Amino acid sequence: MVGMKTGFSMCGVAALIVGMFLVYNSLSVSVAERRHEIGILLALGATRDQVWRLFAGEAFVLGAVGAALGIRSAWGCPTSACAPCRTPSAKSSPA
C-alpha cells in the first residue's frame, strides 16, 4: 500500500512539472508572438513592470483555468466510471 501511495505521489509530481512546463511554454510563445505589441506598449509609456504584470496575470489565469479543469476532470472521471459498479441502495431495492 505504501508503494502505491509513493507511486501516485510521484505521478502527481511529474504531472505538476509537466503542467508548469506547458504554462511556461505557452507564455514564451505568447511573448515571442507579441514582441511588436510589447514594443508599442513600451513606446506609449508603459513600464517594464506593467508589461511584466500583464504577462504574469495571463499566466495566472491560464494556470487557474487549467487547474480548475484538471481538478474537475480528476474528480468527475473516477466518479462516473465507478457509478455502474456501485451496489443499489437499500431504499431502491424491492421489499
Side-chain angles (χ1 to χ4, degrees):
M1 191 62 136
V2 174
M4 286 182 64
K5 286 184 180 182
T6 303
F8 283 134
S9 295
M10 290 172 58
C11 287
V13 169
L16 285 174
I17 290 171
V18 168
M20 289 184 337
F21 172 75
L22 291 174
V23 169
Y24 171 78
N25 189 33
S26 297
L27 289 176
S28 296
V29 169
S30 177
V31 169
E33 289 177 348
R34 294 167 61 184
R35 279 189 358 223
H36 183 71
E37 181 182 332
I38 293 169
I40 291 173
L41 286 171
L42 292 173
L44 290 175
T47 63
R48 292 176 65 94
D49 187 52
Q50 289 173 329
V51 173
W52 183 86
R53 279 188 276 145
L54 175 75
F55 283 98
E58 185 177 324
F60 175 76
V61 170
L62 183 66
V65 169
L69 291 174
I71 290 170
R72 175 66 185 127
S73 63
W75 186 277
C77 288
T79 303
S80 62
C82 292
C85 302
R86 292 192 188 112
T87 58
S89 64
K91 293 181 181 179
S92 64
S93 63

